[in-house]
Amino acid sequence: MNAAVVTADSIDGLRLNRAFKAGILRLLSRQEHLNKINVFPVPDGDTGTNLALTMSAVLGTLQRFPDSHAGKTLTRVADAALDGARGNSGAILAQFFLGVCDKLGHLRDLSAEDFADGVHGGAAYARESLSEPREGTIITVLSDFAHEVNRVRREGVRDLRALLRRGVTVAEQSLAGTTQQLEALRKANVVDAGGQGFVEFIAGVTDYIESGTEDEPAVPMPAVIDAASETTAGLEEDLEYRYCTECVVIGNRVDRRHLREELSAVGGSLVVAGLQHKVRVHIHVNDPAEVFRIAGRFGAVSSQKADDMQRQQHAAHVVGRKVAIVTDSGADIPEDEMDRLDIHMVPLRVHFGDKGYLDRVGITPEEFYDELVRNPHHPKTSQPPPGDFRRQFEFLASHYPAVVSVNLTRKVRGTCASAESAAARIGAQGKVTVLDSEHASLGYGLVAMYAAECAQAGYDSERVLEATRAMVPRTRTFGLIGSLEYSVRGGRVPRWVKNVADTLGVMPVLHNRDGRVTAGGVLFGRKNLREKFARFVQRRMRSGCRYRLLVGHANCEADGRWLLERLSGDNIVYGRLLPVGTAFGVHGGPGLLVVGLQEYDPPQ
């Protein structure tokens, strides 16, 4: 139906809902372009992905809750944007919507004058959320748009369509000017990606309102990327901060000013968005755990995330590689191998009572085992939520032809299912494949490393999957538990089993079999366990076969080093020692020793 049933000088909630959908869909169609021109504050190529995730949360709310009340529509938009905000630009845009909502949330219909008041308040809120506003970014474009809309309103213009069109024209001019306002943009000859995203959104809103249609907006075809947008390829820089860190702080009266002051001392690109009861923090830091500790003094911390910008920056500018490899922190892999093989990791969650951490980001293995000993609450680990995988998949799918996610055996935890759910929901469907490693800990790490070596050798996704699946049964994992007490506390072993083992003086050896971690044998006697464990593993090595070897320890480095030396011989091509992570360590406790063996057959 194409009837302009709403007057030119006002808009109700249903029409606003459709106009916002049109703006969001236009922004989503430009996601890849926004990633390609993203060079500030770091050239990590994720602004399009972050804005897409932020506005997809808003789109979902608009689809679920159409409402004729314009103010209620804006309130839902602001809440969804704050909950779904990702990245610097996403957090700023969420704060803009909060400001608009604060001004207009009580109104059923919006006039041109109301709209001007709302965007003025939104731009002020957005600027206030920044510790160090930088001109030449989205904040400049937002401010110029709001200033022009209010200037036109003061001229007496009451036609909402004319008001919006004049505002969009100035926003586009402001965006073009960002190229000369920041050195990074000038060198790359691009505009600010966040500012471009806002212009795409507000232009889509304006086009819909001008059309007079009541039809639901149709999903547009993705825009063609012109050659000029490729000029950012190869742009990399040394990063002052490695992690893009975010969290939500919930409390009765969160002191945003003092929170911003404390956080500004530990990082850069700080945005503190929200109101007194709920605040979203975005900051670039080298120590995400410090951010979560500071935030915890102001309220309950949730929705923690920390993206590795160094690895993202490299991924955004890699040339020739056909497949990106993702894993989760249940895989125990040496840190330098993660960097060498360009493996992207999604962290598990670790909880001691009501205190939560991001595995390997908010808490190190060493800190975990110290806490395990002294904390009366036995920890629980949980797989990453689908949203964490989705954010990683969306980003990598925009830079690689294909993505392979190698995950913890599904017979131990639901990590594979979480990754599969995320893969099914991303825009680039079919580009992400989830592979069950059928292993845990070091064996899982070796499988993920092999997949990354296949990708590095130039294999396409089908060949990576085929070769890695063939390597799964040629990989073995063995574990000697430090104390059965921790397995009992975690519910993996009944108390009576520990009592029987103690009475008989035996200690079970864990191994992987058909994707399960089970008892693969026992060691008799509690003395000289590491020597007995070494012989147990050696007896299971095939004669004449060469191996890659990983040895892991849970705060018992000396024992781990001894075991590595004992197992190393002419048949060991590669051997490394590393701390065992939380996913396996939560059941083994301090003193746990783990061995990962993989037949040596490097990709050709």
Side-chain angles (χ1 to χ4, degrees), residues 3 42 52 62 77 121 140 144 147 191 208 247 280 286 293 314 319 326 338 369 489 562 569 580:
V42 290
L62 292 171
V77 165
T140 301
D144 289 346
H147 177 79
V191 296
Y208 183 83
C247 66
R280 177 171 286 276
N286 288 318
R293 282 193 290 269
H314 177 71
V319 177
V326 179
M338 293 284 295
Y369 291 112
R489 291 184 194 175
W562 179 92
V580 176

Side-chain angles (χ1 to χ4, degrees), residues 135-169:
E135 300 305 331
T137 65
I138 184 174
I139 196 63
T140 301
V141 180
L142 272 172
S143 298
D144 289 346
F145 171 76
H147 177 79
E148 178 62 13
V149 164
N150 275 273
R151 190 187 68 79
V152 173
R153 184 266 304 266
R154 289 193 297 272
E155 290 179 354
V157 174
R158 296 294 179 263
D159 187 314
L160 185 58
R161 295 170 298 191
L163 190 83
L164 278 167
R165 180 52 60 192
R166 298 266 294 269
V168 168
T169 298

Side-chain angles (χ1 to χ4, degrees), residues 176-198:
T178 62
T179 303
Q180 301 304 319
Q181 288 179 279
L182 286 172
E183 180 64 14
L185 302 179
R186 188 193 63 77
K187 288 172 65 175
N189 193 30
V190 295
V191 296
D192 178 68
Q196 176 86 63
F198 174 73

Side-chain angles (χ1 to χ4, degrees), residues 211 252 390 473 496:
S211 72
N252 291 329
R390 184 183 178 189
W496 68 266

Side-chain angles (χ1 to χ4, degrees), residues 26-52:
R26 174 162 170 164
L27 187 154
L28 294 179
S29 77
R30 298 288 279 166
Q31 176 181 343
E32 184 178 356
H33 175 68
L34 297 178
N35 281 336
K36 288 180 179 292
I37 66 171
N38 172 210
V39 298
F40 183 85
V42 290
D44 51 2
D46 68 348
T47 292
T49 298
N50 286 333
L51 283 174

Side-chain angles (χ1 to χ4, degrees), residues 90 196 285 355 359 366 398 446:
Q196 176 86 63
V285 294
K355 181 73 171 178
D359 187 25
E366 293 80 8
S398 69
L446 285 168

